[in-house]
Amino acid sequence: RKKQSSKTAQQGEVETVTRRKVKRLLSFQRYCHASRLLRGLVPHTPRSLHLLDDDYLGQAAHMLSKVGTWNFDIFLFDRLTNGNSLVTLMCHLFNVYDLIHHFQLDMVKLNRFLGMVQEDYHSQNPYHNAVHAADVTQAMYCYLKEPKLAEHLSPLDVFLGLMAAAAHDVDHPGVNQPFLIKTRHHLASLYQNTSVLESHHWRSTVGMLRESGLLSHLPADMSRDIEQRLGSLILATDINRQNEFLMTFREHLDNQDLDLQLASHRHFILQIALKCADICNPCRVWELSRQWSERVCEEFYRQGDLEKKFDLEISPLCNQQSDSVPAIQIGFISYIVEPLFEEWHRFTEPSLLSQTMLDHLHKNKANWSSLRCAHTPSDVQSRSQAEEPEGEVGEGSDIP
């Protein structure tokens, strides 16, 4: 009994040490070592555009003139803006929609808020970083321009859609919810193992809104309403709620009972639009889509490596020895992306953009299928880039 008790105690001690190490490694404040209040209220300002060469500024401005096209290259735009793509894009879109004037926003506070959001994305993450946020925001802009939707949107709808897109993954740690739960991370406890990351993204956004004072000039009930609606949008991106939203969307379309004159129905469509924007990578042209696919799989593999390091069970899709990029992408497209975008296609009746997105989706799925057949497990283990499939690269039109 003493031996068994001693063994149990040792196991418990090992588990405690492991959890402590993981918690320290994944601490959400590991980059700042203290709260914002302790660091002072003024965050580091993003690198300003005036530091860039005039030629780069010109190219960035030219790209912004085509920000509503579906083949917009967010990776190039991020390089041209010196890693400042999210702030630059949001300021531009706020001007496009005249939101600054409509809501009487203070430009200093707006720039401060956007800078805080951009900074709180972890640049170390291969996928869940500020470039992903900018990409989702650009996609959301394309969806807000859809003829079926655009004529019904109020300035508040547009404001909420763009803000939620920009902040929907803020302070993402680069690991998923099951990882946080099994390592007993404090966020999992705080949000009771439900929509853990999405709740954290939302509450972080609310904290930055209040700290920046962006909405402080608005009536208290209005600012609270905006915070709650932002939460409803961001929480909708929880992949565990995919079927819930898909079924509701499908029922509305089957019954033809969507009334975009109703604020509640417009909000639901904004939720669907944000969900589409969040997972639209497989609907982009191949050379952009592929980069995103490799990035998200690299982030999965890093989580798997971390789990292996701490003797945890490796999560699904996170084992680089057995989960290849093509296999992961084919499953993701088949079970998550295709069903949602087919319904979005119905909703738009269909639009040129939605047809183009489906075309890219089907071509990209075929590309991944050919790559899965062509490469061996050793190629997966090395994480090397596969060769481009012939005849598929760069296909697709410039969709307005």
Short mmCIF file of all heavy atoms in Angstrom, two decimals, residues 82-103:
data_model
loop_
_atom_site.label_atom_id
_atom_site.label_comp_id
_atom_site.label_asym_id
_atom_site.label_seq_id
_atom_site.Cartn_x
_atom_site.Cartn_y
_atom_site.Cartn_z
N ASN A 82 4.55 47.16 -44.07
CA ASN A 82 5.52 46.91 -43.01
C ASN A 82 4.88 46.20 -41.81
O ASN A 82 5.12 46.56 -40.66
CB ASN A 82 6.16 48.23 -42.58
CG ASN A 82 7.46 48.04 -41.82
OD1 ASN A 82 8.16 47.04 -42.02
ND2 ASN A 82 7.80 48.97 -40.95
N GLY A 83 4.06 45.21 -42.09
CA GLY A 83 3.42 44.45 -41.02
C GLY A 83 2.26 45.16 -40.35
O GLY A 83 1.84 44.79 -39.26
N ASN A 84 1.75 46.18 -41.02
CA ASN A 84 0.70 47.02 -40.45
C ASN A 84 -0.62 46.86 -41.21
O ASN A 84 -1.42 47.78 -41.28
CB ASN A 84 1.15 48.48 -40.51
CG ASN A 84 0.58 49.34 -39.40
OD1 ASN A 84 0.33 48.87 -38.30
ND2 ASN A 84 0.37 50.60 -39.71
N SER A 85 -0.85 45.66 -41.76
CA SER A 85 -1.98 45.47 -42.67
C SER A 85 -3.34 45.65 -42.00
O SER A 85 -4.26 46.22 -42.60
CB SER A 85 -1.91 44.08 -43.32
OG SER A 85 -1.87 43.05 -42.34
N LEU A 86 -3.49 45.18 -40.77
CA LEU A 86 -4.80 45.24 -40.13
C LEU A 86 -5.22 46.68 -39.83
O LEU A 86 -6.35 47.08 -40.15
CB LEU A 86 -4.79 44.41 -38.84
CG LEU A 86 -6.14 44.31 -38.10
CD1 LEU A 86 -7.21 43.71 -39.00
CD2 LEU A 86 -5.99 43.49 -36.82
N VAL A 87 -4.32 47.46 -39.24
CA VAL A 87 -4.63 48.85 -38.93
C VAL A 87 -4.90 49.63 -40.21
O VAL A 87 -5.88 50.39 -40.32
CB VAL A 87 -3.48 49.51 -38.14
CG1 VAL A 87 -3.71 51.02 -38.01
CG2 VAL A 87 -3.35 48.89 -36.76
N THR A 88 -4.05 49.45 -41.22
CA THR A 88 -4.19 50.18 -42.47
C THR A 88 -5.50 49.85 -43.16
O THR A 88 -6.23 50.73 -43.64
CB THR A 88 -3.02 49.85 -43.41
OG1 THR A 88 -1.78 50.04 -42.73
CG2 THR A 88 -3.05 50.74 -44.65
N LEU A 89 -5.82 48.56 -43.22
CA LEU A 89 -7.05 48.12 -43.88
C LEU A 89 -8.28 48.64 -43.16
O LEU A 89 -9.22 49.15 -43.79
CB LEU A 89 -7.08 46.59 -43.92
CG LEU A 89 -8.30 45.94 -44.56
CD1 LEU A 89 -8.43 46.33 -46.02
CD2 LEU A 89 -8.22 44.42 -44.42
N MET A 90 -8.31 48.54 -41.83
CA MET A 90 -9.47 49.00 -41.07
C MET A 90 -9.69 50.51 -41.20
O MET A 90 -10.83 50.96 -41.38
CB MET A 90 -9.32 48.61 -39.61
CG MET A 90 -9.63 47.15 -39.32
SD MET A 90 -11.40 46.77 -39.50
CE MET A 90 -12.04 47.49 -37.97
N CYS A 91 -8.62 51.28 -41.13
CA CYS A 91 -8.75 52.73 -41.30
C CYS A 91 -9.31 53.06 -42.68
O CYS A 91 -10.19 53.93 -42.82
CB CYS A 91 -7.40 53.42 -41.10
SG CYS A 91 -6.87 53.50 -39.37
N HIS A 92 -8.84 52.35 -43.69
CA HIS A 92 -9.33 52.58 -45.06
C HIS A 92 -10.81 52.24 -45.17
O HIS A 92 -11.60 53.02 -45.72
CB HIS A 92 -8.52 51.73 -46.04
CG HIS A 92 -9.03 51.80 -47.45
ND1 HIS A 92 -8.86 52.90 -48.26
CD2 HIS A 92 -9.76 50.90 -48.18
CE1 HIS A 92 -9.43 52.68 -49.44
NE2 HIS A 92 -9.98 51.48 -49.41
N LEU A 93 -11.22 51.10 -44.64
CA LEU A 93 -12.62 50.67 -44.76
C LEU A 93 -13.55 51.56 -43.92
O LEU A 93 -14.69 51.82 -44.33
CB LEU A 93 -12.77 49.21 -44.33
CG LEU A 93 -12.05 48.20 -45.23
CD1 LEU A 93 -12.24 46.78 -44.72
CD2 LEU A 93 -12.53 48.32 -46.68
N PHE A 94 -13.07 52.05 -42.79
CA PHE A 94 -13.87 53.00 -42.00
C PHE A 94 -14.11 54.28 -42.79
O PHE A 94 -15.17 54.89 -42.69
CB PHE A 94 -13.18 53.29 -40.66
CG PHE A 94 -13.62 52.39 -39.55
CD1 PHE A 94 -13.69 51.01 -39.73
CD2 PHE A 94 -13.97 52.90 -38.31
CE1 PHE A 94 -14.10 50.16 -38.71
CE2 PHE A 94 -14.38 52.06 -37.27
CZ PHE A 94 -14.45 50.69 -37.47
N ASN A 95 -13.11 54.67 -43.59
CA ASN A 95 -13.27 55.84 -44.44
C ASN A 95 -14.20 55.56 -45.61
O ASN A 95 -15.02 56.40 -45.98
CB ASN A 95 -11.91 56.33 -44.95
CG ASN A 95 -11.16 57.16 -43.93
OD1 ASN A 95 -11.74 58.02 -43.28
ND2 ASN A 95 -9.87 56.88 -43.77
N VAL A 96 -14.08 54.37 -46.19
CA VAL A 96 -14.95 53.99 -47.30
C VAL A 96 -16.41 54.09 -46.90
O VAL A 96 -17.26 54.59 -47.66
CB VAL A 96 -14.63 52.55 -47.77
CG1 VAL A 96 -15.73 52.02 -48.70
CG2 VAL A 96 -13.28 52.51 -48.48
N TYR A 97 -16.73 53.64 -45.70
CA TYR A 97 -18.11 53.63 -45.22
C TYR A 97 -18.48 54.89 -44.42
O TYR A 97 -19.59 54.98 -43.89
CB TYR A 97 -18.36 52.40 -44.34
CG TYR A 97 -18.58 51.13 -45.13
CD1 TYR A 97 -17.59 50.14 -45.18
CD2 TYR A 97 -19.75 50.91 -45.83
CE1 TYR A 97 -17.79 48.96 -45.89
CE2 TYR A 97 -19.97 49.74 -46.56
CZ TYR A 97 -18.98 48.77 -46.58
OH TYR A 97 -19.19 47.61 -47.29
N ASP A 98 -17.54 55.84 -44.30
CA ASP A 98 -17.76 57.09 -43.56
C ASP A 98 -18.19 56.82 -42.12
O ASP A 98 -18.99 57.56 -41.54
CB ASP A 98 -18.83 57.93 -44.28
CG ASP A 98 -18.79 59.40 -43.86
OD1 ASP A 98 -17.70 59.87 -43.46
OD2 ASP A 98 -19.84 60.06 -43.89
N LEU A 99 -17.64 55.75 -41.53
CA LEU A 99 -18.02 55.38 -40.17
C LEU A 99 -17.46 56.35 -39.14
O LEU A 99 -18.06 56.54 -38.07
CB LEU A 99 -17.53 53.96 -39.87
CG LEU A 99 -18.16 52.85 -40.72
CD1 LEU A 99 -17.52 51.50 -40.37
CD2 LEU A 99 -19.67 52.79 -40.51
N ILE A 100 -16.31 56.94 -39.43
CA ILE A 100 -15.69 57.87 -38.49
C ILE A 100 -16.59 59.08 -38.28
O ILE A 100 -16.85 59.50 -37.15
CB ILE A 100 -14.30 58.30 -39.00
CG1 ILE A 100 -13.37 57.09 -39.05
CG2 ILE A 100 -13.71 59.40 -38.11
CD1 ILE A 100 -12.07 57.32 -39.79
N HIS A 101 -17.13 59.59 -39.39
CA HIS A 101 -18.04 60.74 -39.29
C HIS A 101 -19.37 60.33 -38.68
O HIS A 101 -19.93 61.02 -37.82
CB HIS A 101 -18.26 61.35 -40.68
CG HIS A 101 -19.23 62.48 -40.69
ND1 HIS A 101 -20.57 62.31 -41.02
CD2 HIS A 101 -19.09 63.80 -40.37
CE1 HIS A 101 -21.20 63.46 -40.93
NE2 HIS A 101 -20.32 64.38 -40.54
N HIS A 102 -19.90 59.19 -39.12
CA HIS A 102 -21.22 58.77 -38.66
C HIS A 102 -21.27 58.56 -37.15
O HIS A 102 -22.23 58.98 -36.49
CB HIS A 102 -21.65 57.48 -39.36
CG HIS A 102 -23.02 57.02 -38.97
ND1 HIS A 102 -24.17 57.48 -39.60
CD2 HIS A 102 -23.45 56.15 -38.00
CE1 HIS A 102 -25.23 56.92 -39.03
NE2 HIS A 102 -24.82 56.12 -38.06
N PHE A 103 -20.24 57.91 -36.61
CA PHE A 103 -20.22 57.63 -35.18
C PHE A 103 -19.41 58.67 -34.38
O PHE A 103 -19.20 58.49 -33.18
CB PHE A 103 -19.67 56.23 -34.91
CG PHE A 103 -20.59 55.13 -35.37
CD1 PHE A 103 -20.32 54.44 -36.54
CD2 PHE A 103 -21.72 54.80 -34.63
CE1 PHE A 103 -21.17 53.42 -36.98
CE2 PHE A 103 -22.57 53.79 -35.05
CZ PHE A 103 -22.31 53.10 -36.23
#
